[in-house]
């Protein structure tokens, strides 16, 4: 008999980030992985920046994003730092 593994990589907990999807066993939101990827960091390098994550968790988060883009983009927008609060030297555009 093959061992059964839990394939759920993300969870929601109303006590953590108001129920935003996070990587199971961490407080890392799926959006953090998506934002890193959208900044050009290859998935294979994300665990170097977030060493508590495995490559499998990174790919699972990106897969979740593919199926729930509007939801995760909404979390990204809600957590964006307004331009007026950014240091003028770090502003893009």
């Amino acid at each position: 008999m093959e061992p059964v593994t839990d394939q759920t990589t993300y969870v929601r907990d109303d006590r953590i980030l108001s129920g935003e999807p996070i990587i199971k066993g961490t407080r890392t939101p799926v959006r953090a992985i998506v934002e890193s990827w959208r900044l050009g960091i290859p998935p294979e390098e994300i665990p170097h920046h977030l060493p508590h994550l495995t490559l499998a968790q990174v790919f699972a988060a990106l897969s979740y994003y593919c199926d729930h883009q509007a939801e995760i983009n909404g979390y990204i927008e809600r957590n964006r730092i307004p331009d007026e609060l950014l240091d003028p030297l770090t502003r893009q555009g």
Side-chain angles (χ1 to χ4, degrees):
M1 175 183 241
E2 289 186 40
V4 177
T5 58
D6 182 3
Q7 297 299 318
T8 305
T9 302
Y10 62 88
V11 295
R12 292 175 185 268
D13 184 332
D14 289 339
R15 298 168 295 170
I16 302 172
L17 299 174
S18 301
E20 180 176 343
I22 59 172
I23 301 302
K24 186 177 185 177
T26 75
R27 296 180 63 87
T28 304
V30 169
R31 77 175 146 83
I33 295 165
V34 171
E35 288 180 289
S36 295
W37 176 69
R38 286 171 52 174
L39 286 171
I41 300 173
E44 296 81 8
E45 289 185 21
I46 293 174
H48 296 290
H49 299 272
L50 300 169
H52 61 285
L53 299 180
T54 66
L55 185 57
Q57 289 170 314
V58 169
F59 278 113
L62 293 174
S63 177
Y64 182 89
Y65 175 65
C66 287
D67 292 335
H68 302 90
Q69 288 185 29
E71 174 193 7
I72 300 303
N73 288 341
Y75 288 122
I76 290 169
E77 184 58 30
R78 282 191 289 281
N79 286 280
R80 187 180 65 79
I81 299 170
D83 289 341
E84 60 271 9
L85 296 178
L86 291 174
D87 180 337
L89 297 176
T90 62
R91 287 187 193 168
Q92 294 181 3

